[in-house]
Amino acid sequence: MSRDTVILIHGLWMTGSEMSLLRRRMRERDYNVHQFRYRMVTRSLDHNRERLKDFIGRHAGSAPVHLIGHSLGGVLALQTLQAYPELPVESVICLGSPLVDSTAGRRFSGSGLGRAFLGKTLPEAIFHAPLSDWTGAQKVGVIAGNRGFGIGDLTGTLPKPNDGVVTLAETCLPGIDDHLEVSIGHTGLILSAAVAEQCDWFIRNGCFRR
């Protein structure tokens, strides 16, 4: 029997190397794991959606495909499936993803330097053409942290609860299948063994373990 495929998608200002622990843990659970890398500052949402679509197509086979996106990576995953609903993806797990808004991002965008740092993909995916709800065929689960300390604090105090970058409310997209709150910070979501276990449980069961 072919092993399920997991595609990991990193977040803003990251390269994918930060997800090495999660890659290893998912491989230990007998998945074929691939890392999607993209340029979110200089490239547009449309460009990155098309690249992710092609990446999924190259790695899809007879076994189910699952996407795990951290932060902006989760937004990109759902934006891509919304644009290309025919893609052979069975489930998506978003880790600390600002699916409905980004308070920290809006504060960054208030200055020219901040807008330059944010780049193109995040504003287009979250501010200009945001997701309103999820109606796709794929099961979607969200894991959100509530241990607030991170770069979001540099722009002012974030509404609580938050993971230091993304508020809990910003992860609550209508129509998703399950939502789990954990006492972990934003970057900690991709380092946590417990989160990796929950990703595996969601893939196998369509819900998180409680």
Side-chain angles (χ1 to χ4, degrees):
M1 181 182 296
S2 299
R3 295 183 294 166
D4 284 19
T5 293
V6 169
I7 294 174
L8 302 181
I9 310 167
H10 61 81
L12 182 66
W13 303 324
M14 295 186 175
T15 65
S17 60
E18 306 83 359
M19 303 185 86
S20 59
L21 267 177
L22 183 56
R23 284 199 299 274
R24 188 190 74 191
R25 286 166 173 154
M26 298 308 290
R27 284 174 178 145
E28 288 172 349
R29 289 168 170 81
D30 206 31
Y31 294 102
N32 286 315
V33 184
H34 304 280
Q35 179 72 57
F36 176 71
R37 293 178 170 85
Y38 63 105
R39 296 178 180 177
M40 74 296 296
V41 174
T42 59
R43 298 295 187 177
S44 68
L45 172 62
D46 283 345
H47 175 88
N48 286 322
R49 283 192 298 204
E50 186 170 355
R51 285 198 61 241
L52 179 55
K53 176 202 71 168
D54 293 344
F55 191 89
I56 293 169
R58 288 198 301 274
H59 293 288
S62 58
V65 176
H66 313 273
L67 309 181
I68 301 176
H70 177 234
S71 196
L72 180 59
V75 181
L76 178 59
L78 295 187
Q79 283 275 5
T80 300
L81 292 173
Q82 185 180 71
Y84 304 102
E86 73 282 1
L87 284 170
V89 173
E90 187 170 288
S91 69
V92 182
I93 303 166
C94 301
L95 307 179
S97 296
L99 298 176
V100 299
D101 202 355
S102 174
T103 301
R106 288 189 184 278
R107 290 174 178 170
F108 265 102
S109 67
S111 70
L113 182 60
R115 286 191 294 275
F117 274 117
L118 282 182
K120 295 182 178 180
T121 297
L122 185 147
E124 292 175 4
I126 301 175
F127 304 151
H128 303 158
L131 298 161
S132 58
D133 59 2
W134 181 249
T135 59
Q138 296 81 8
K139 283 195 168 292
V140 176
V142 174
I143 302 178
N146 62 17
R147 184 171 291 179
F149 179 76
I151 194 168
D153 293 323
L154 298 179
T155 65
T157 303
L158 291 175
K160 295 182 179 180
N162 65 74
D163 66 7
V165 178
V166 177
T167 71
L168 190 68
E170 291 164 355
T171 68
C172 296
L173 180 68
I176 63 173
D177 294 274
D178 203 356
H179 188 283
L180 181 67
E181 182 179 349
V182 293
S183 183
I184 298 174
H186 192 70
T187 303
L189 291 167
I190 55 175
L191 305 177
S192 166
V195 168
E197 182 179 352
Q198 288 287 359
C199 289
D200 177 49
W201 189 268
F202 186 90
I203 289 170
R204 297 181 189 279
N205 300 283
C207 62
F208 294 117
R209 186 175 187 176
R210 290 176 170 84

